[in-house]
Amino acid sequence: MLVLKYLLVILGIGLFGSSGALLVYDIYLSSQLRTLLGRRGRDKTTGELLPEDPSEVGRRPLQPIRWGLAQRLAAAGVLPLLIAFSIAIVPDGSAGVRVSQIWGARPGTLYPGVHLITPLVDSVELYDTREQVYTTAAGHIANAQGPAPKAAQPEVLTVQAREGLNIGLAVSVRYRLDPHRLSYIHANLPRSVGDEVVAPTVATIYRQLAPNYITREIFATKREELRLAAANAITSRLASDGIIVREVLLRDLKLPEEYAQGLEGLLLKEQENERLGTETEIKQKQVKIAELEAEAQKSRDVKQAEAHAQVRVLQAKAEADSMQYTLPLKQKQIEQSKLEAQARKEATLQNAEAAAQAKIIDSKAELERQKNLSDAEANRIRVTAAADAERMKFEATVLKQNPMLIQKIIAERLSDKLQIMMVPIDGKNFFANDVLRSAFSSAGNSASAEDPEEGTPVATAQKRSGRRP
């Protein structure tokens, strides 16, 4: 809608400009035409310029100026401007009051949005309806870079307590304008509501209430009471002017330096007094606790002694009662011990008899085993002797058939490094030929000299010695 309003304004101004430009253009053309018509003519025969009669110049027709078209363009430009001036736009966070040039402020509030007003008669005055904060300072703020601008420094609010001491108050008031009473505010209050209405009201009320309290009460115990009283008074006072107060804060207090130093010393003394009183109470409580602990320990000792005595009495009674059952029990234990000793004695005798029988059985088994071993050894010897005799017979037979086996066996028995080589008896150029011949001749003689049933002497010696060849 704001764009439309600006477009209408531009259109109206453009139409007005067009009408003016049209008139200027027509007037310019008319002036140029008059200039041209006022010049001299030329002679037809000689070609020279002739002066014209000035009386004829005024009687010649000129191009008319378009006054009607210019009026219509101007009238057409008035209409968009009137429409644009009849549109009033109220932004967010604001409210407006319709002010008439004839009747003054009209009742009713224009809230954010688009509104239609009477052009050239009504206007809209805008007011900020958002929350605003009025702030005062408890004292002048020192700036290291020099004094700050006046607009940047909050107002210093100073009040007097009952004693006449000046106290600086740092107060903050949150307020906003009542949208329903903007017509009253516009008609009766100044434009700068915060500086000319809120500030004097806050300062006046605090200065009226502060003398009801002494400085120490304002500083310590009744600060909240003062704030509540001031908040109620400020709220009621400004509400009558159409100003809504949301909150009144008392941020800080600034006491005079001498009073602050004296109050600080007094507070330190009171704190010291309270500390001593607290320590005294603690000592008294410690003494009381020690007394109570001593009484409690005494009571515990008495109770413990009585408990020990009762325990001993009960133990004596229990021992006396138990003796009635202890003697029969001891007798039974003695009888049981005798029976156990007799049982052990009988068990020992039975074990001895069993051990003797076991030894007898073991000796018989050992004799039987030795007998079996001797029989087995005799049988083994008989079998071995028979096997040796059979083997010797077989070897004797083999030696009779092959006498050279004796030399082979002797050579093998002589050394395990000796190798046997078989050569023919009639071999020539052999280094062992004579040895072999003598061996064969001696073996043949010995074999023929003995009985073939008895075997060779070597076999007989081996049989006697019981060793293998």
Side-chain angles (χ1 to χ4, degrees):
M1 188 60 70
L2 187 61
V3 176
L4 177 60
K5 180 179 179 179
Y6 290 152
L7 289 176
L8 291 174
V9 171
I10 293 171
L11 179 60
I13 294 173
L15 291 174
F16 272 109
S18 299
S19 64
L22 182 62
L23 290 175
V24 171
Y25 180 71
D26 289 343
I27 293 171
Y28 173 74
L29 290 178
S30 298
S31 64
Q32 292 294 326
L33 184 58
R34 285 179 183 276
T35 303
L36 292 174
L37 290 176
R39 292 180 179 179
R40 294 174 298 170
R42 292 180 180 271
D43 189 3
K44 295 181 179 179
T45 59
T46 62
E48 295 179 356
L49 294 174
L50 297 176
E52 293 185 356
D53 188 2
S55 61
E56 293 180 357
V57 175
R59 291 194 297 270
R60 290 182 182 181
L62 298 176
Q63 184 177 357
I65 297 174
R66 292 172 288 184
W67 293 101
L69 181 58
Q71 291 175 359
R72 287 192 297 272
L73 288 175
V78 170
L79 182 60
L81 290 176
L82 291 177
I83 295 174
F85 291 152
S86 66
I87 298 173
I89 299 174
V90 180
D92 291 336
S94 301
V97 178
R98 184 185 288 109
V99 180
S100 176
Q101 302 296 330
I102 301 172
W103 297 284
R106 304 295 298 275
T109 301
L110 301 180
Y111 294 98
V114 179
H115 303 275
L116 296 176
I117 60 175
T118 303
L120 304 179
V121 177
D122 293 343
S123 63
V124 177
E125 293 291 336
L126 298 178
Y127 287 89
D128 191 358
T129 57
R130 292 172 294 187
E131 286 191 0
Q132 302 179 34
V133 180
Y134 169 70
T135 303
T136 65
H140 293 285
I141 300 174
N143 192 354
Q145 298 179 356
K150 184 177 180 181
Q153 291 183 352
E155 181 183 356
V156 178
L157 178 59
T158 304
V159 299
Q160 287 186 351
R162 185 181 300 174
E163 303 94 332
L165 296 175
N166 292 326
I167 302 174
L169 300 180
V171 179
S172 294
V173 179
R174 293 174 54 196
Y175 69 94
R176 60 190 294 265
L177 300 180
D178 189 359
H180 302 288
R181 302 186 62 185
L182 284 181
S183 59
Y184 173 82
I185 294 172
H186 179 76
N188 299 283
L189 297 182
R191 186 68 178 176
S192 180
V193 176
D195 295 335
E196 299 183 14
V197 177
V198 177
T201 302
V202 173
T204 301
I205 289 175
Y206 268 103
R207 285 167 182 161
Q208 289 176 355
L209 295 176
N212 298 327
Y213 304 93
I214 62 176
T215 304
R216 189 170 183 181
E217 291 176 347
I218 296 175
F219 180 74
T221 58
K222 295 186 178 181
R223 179 187 296 189
E224 184 64 19
E225 181 181 343
L226 175 62
R227 188 194 69 82
L228 291 175
N232 295 331
I234 292 170
T235 302
S236 61
R237 182 75 61 84
L238 294 179
S240 62
D241 293 330
I243 301 173
I244 301 172
V245 177
R246 298 295 301 274
E247 189 176 9
V248 177
L249 302 175
L250 181 57
R251 304 193 317 275
D252 191 14
L253 294 173
K254 185 176 181 181
L255 300 175
E257 295 183 0
E258 296 80 3
Y259 184 84
Q261 293 176 359
L263 182 61
E264 184 178 358
L266 181 60
L267 291 176
L268 291 175
K269 291 180 180 180
E270 289 181 355
Q271 291 179 358
E272 183 68 19
N273 187 19
E274 291 178 358
R275 185 181 66 80
L276 293 176
T278 304
E279 291 181 355
T280 303
E281 291 179 358
I282 292 173
K283 295 296 184 181
Q284 292 177 355
K285 290 180 180 180
Q286 290 177 353
V287 172
K288 186 68 175 177
I289 291 171
E291 293 177 355
L292 294 175
E293 288 180 352
E295 293 180 358
Q297 184 65 32
K298 181 180 178 181
S299 299
R300 285 196 296 268
D301 294 340
V302 172
K303 294 293 184 182
Q304 189 174 4
E306 292 178 354
H308 285 309
Q310 292 178 359
V311 168
R312 289 180 180 178
V313 171
L314 293 175
Q315 289 178 353
K317 290 182 179 180
E319 291 177 359
D321 293 336
S322 62
M323 289 300 293
Q324 298 178 359
Y325 303 96
T326 303
L327 293 176
L329 182 62
K330 292 294 183 180
Q331 292 178 358
K332 290 181 179 180
Q333 289 178 354
I334 292 171
E335 292 177 358
Q336 185 177 0
S337 300
K338 291 180 179 180
L339 294 175
E340 289 177 355
Q342 186 176 359
R344 284 195 298 272
K345 181 179 179 180
E346 293 178 356
T348 303
L349 293 175
Q350 292 177 359
N351 291 332
E353 292 177 357
Q357 293 179 0
K359 288 181 179 181
I360 292 171
I361 294 171
D362 291 339
S363 60
K364 291 180 179 180
E366 182 66 23
L367 292 174
E368 187 69 22
R369 184 180 66 80
Q370 291 179 1
K371 182 178 179 182
N372 293 331
L373 290 175
S374 60
D375 293 340
E377 182 67 20
N379 189 16
R380 185 185 65 79
I381 292 171
R382 286 195 298 271
V383 172
T384 303
D388 290 340
E390 186 68 23
R391 181 179 57 77
M392 292 178 68
K393 289 180 180 181
F394 179 74
E395 288 178 354
T397 304
V398 172
L399 288 174
K400 287 180 180 181
Q401 295 176 359
N402 299 306
M404 291 297 294
L405 290 176
I406 295 173
Q407 285 78 9
K408 177 179 178 297
I409 293 169
I410 293 170
E412 289 177 351
R413 294 290 178 88
L414 290 176
S415 173
D416 55 352
K417 302 294 182 178
L418 184 64
Q419 294 181 355
I420 305 299
M421 181 174 63
M422 304 296 292
V423 295
I425 298 175
D426 56 353
K428 296 179 179 181
N429 299 323
F430 188 69
F431 70 94
N433 191 14
D434 296 335
V435 175
L436 293 176
R437 286 180 180 179
S438 62
F440 283 130
S441 62
S442 61
N445 294 328
S446 61
S448 61
E450 291 181 357
D451 189 3
E453 294 180 357
E454 293 181 357
T456 61
V458 175
T460 304
Q462 289 176 352
K463 182 178 180 180
R464 290 178 180 176
S465 62
R467 294 181 302 152
R468 288 186 177 185

